[in-house]
Every structure is written in C-alpha cells, then in structure tokens.
Amino acid sequence: MDLSLKKRLARLLMEKSYVAGEVVLTSGRKSDYYFDCKQTALHPEGSWLIGKLFLDMVDDPSIHGVGGMTLGADPLISAVTVVSYLEGRPLPGFIVRKASKGHGTNQYLEGLKNFQPGDRVAMLEDVVTTGGTLIKAIERVRDAGLTVATVLCVLDREEGGRDNLAAAGHTLKPIFTRRELLELAR
C-alpha cells in the first residue's frame, strides 16, 4: 500500500471525519470519539484516495466486484468502481439494503445484473466496531449467490470486530486501525 497516499488520507480523515467527544455507537457502546467516514468519502480527494487504496488492497485477480451495506459503504463502492475503471481493471459494485425492497424483485442486493452466481467479491465497510452489521451484510451477499473473498474497511476501531469476523470465517483488512490513523495523521 502506498504510504504517501495513506498519510494523505489519514490527514484528511482527521480533518473531516474524526470527532473527539463522548458518543453512543450503533453497537450501543460508548466511545470517546466519533468517526464519520462519509464526510471524507464524499470529498473529491478523499473519495479518490479511498478508492485507490481499496483497489490496491483487492490484489486477488479472481475478485469480480465490490459491495457493502448501505449507507456507509455507498460512497466507498462508487469510489472503487470508478478508480478500477480508470486503472483498467473494472470492478462492478453492489449495495446491500438494510431491508428488502418490499416490491418488485423484493431483493436485498442492488447491482446484481453485473454479477454471476459464485462470483468472488470484496466487502467494503467504513468503520468496524463489533462487526455485527458487516456479518449481517455478508450473510445477505451469500444468500444472493456471491462468495465473499475478502473484507476491507477504512477504520478498524479495534473493539472486537476483527475477532467477531474471524469467528465467522473472515479476515478483516483495514486501511487503518485507530492507532495507525492517529500516528499517520501527525
């Protein structure tokens, strides 16, 4: 992974996405900081940096595409699909809904016309705390007939998510752990 790009992203994440102060997370846990990755992922340079670093991490040529749970993964997926096209190794994307459509095809995944059953994919996530949301999304992806080959995130909060994903049979590969982010942003 290109360290200069990683440092640029770390500085941008600290400027746009890292907020010190007590908050309650989706997991119900209290934390001394909030990390709103969407602020950086929706910034032009941030989007490109995330897309480029994630694409570099998808180093398995058998991976056919990328996806993740809406809403946090939406800008990450778009960034990777655009950067992958520009770099000549196009990867389509899919989005996992929190609830099925309830009409039409009643599906959980959007973008499936770009995939075949059994295609190997990378799951993308902005922040991993316990990994619960990600594990649910992975189950929906499997139910749709795709194979999750790798799991990538922007930030691993180092609060059990990596272990929970490992127990479910997946290895988490973050761009940053919280410690790395704080060190590289200096």
Side-chain angles (χ1 to χ4, degrees), residues 97 100-110:
R97 291 174 169 274
S100 67
K101 280 174 82 167
H103 64 279
T105 57
N106 205 31
Q107 61 194 13
Y108 276 104
L109 269 64
E110 294 295 337

Side-chain angles (χ1 to χ4, degrees), residues 80-100:
V80 174
T81 61
V82 170
V83 171
S84 72
Y85 179 80
L86 292 172
E87 293 204 0
R89 46 185 284 226
L91 295 173
F94 63 89
I95 295 170
V96 182
R97 291 174 169 274
K98 292 183 179 171
S100 67

Side-chain angles (χ1 to χ4, degrees), residues 147-161:
T147 302
V148 175
T150 191
V151 179
L152 311 175
C153 72
V154 176
L155 178 69
D156 175 2
R157 292 178 62 99
E158 301 177 288
E159 295 182 24

Side-chain angles (χ1 to χ4, degrees), residues 12-31:
L12 197 56
L13 285 166
M14 290 303 291
E15 175 189 327
K16 303 268 182 207
S17 297
Y18 192 94
V19 180
E22 190 173 298
V23 295
V24 177
L25 305 172
T26 303
S27 64
R29 294 181 182 186
K30 287 187 178 181
S31 177

Side-chain angles (χ1 to χ4, degrees), residues 19-163:
V19 180
E22 190 173 298
V23 295
V24 177
L25 305 172
T26 303
S27 64
R29 294 181 182 186
K30 287 187 178 181
S31 177
D32 63 348
Y33 73 100
Y34 182 66
F35 188 76
D36 184 1
C37 189
K38 289 179 285 302
Q39 300 304 316
T40 301
L42 293 169
H43 180 273
E45 182 182 16
S47 180
W48 178 78
L49 288 165
I50 289 168
K52 174 70 176 140
L53 290 168
F54 270 156
L55 183 62
D56 289 349
M57 292 168 74
V58 178
D59 53 6
D60 179 346
S62 74
I63 292 177
H64 179 77
V66 296
M69 182 72 87
T70 198
L71 176 75
D74 293 1
L76 311 177
I77 296 160
S78 293
V80 174
T81 61
V82 170
V83 171
S84 72
Y85 179 80
L86 292 172
E87 293 204 0
R89 46 185 284 226
L91 295 173
F94 63 89
I95 295 170
V96 182
R97 291 174 169 274
K98 292 183 179 171
S100 67
K101 280 174 82 167
H103 64 279
T105 57
N106 205 31
Q107 61 194 13
Y108 276 104
L109 269 64
E110 294 295 337
L112 278 178
K113 291 221 179 216
N114 297 310
F115 296 89
Q116 298 296 317
D119 277 349
R120 292 168 49 81
V121 297
M123 289 295 290
L124 307 180
E125 182 67 280
D126 53 359
V127 183
V128 173
T129 304
T130 65
T133 301
L134 195 47
I135 291 169
K136 182 186 292 185
I138 289 169
E139 289 169 5
R140 289 182 179 162
V141 170
R142 281 189 189 145
D143 290 346
L146 303 177
T147 302
V148 175
T150 191
V151 179
L152 311 175
C153 72
V154 176
L155 178 69
D156 175 2
R157 292 178 62 99
E158 301 177 288
E159 295 182 24
R162 182 185 301 252
D163 293 337

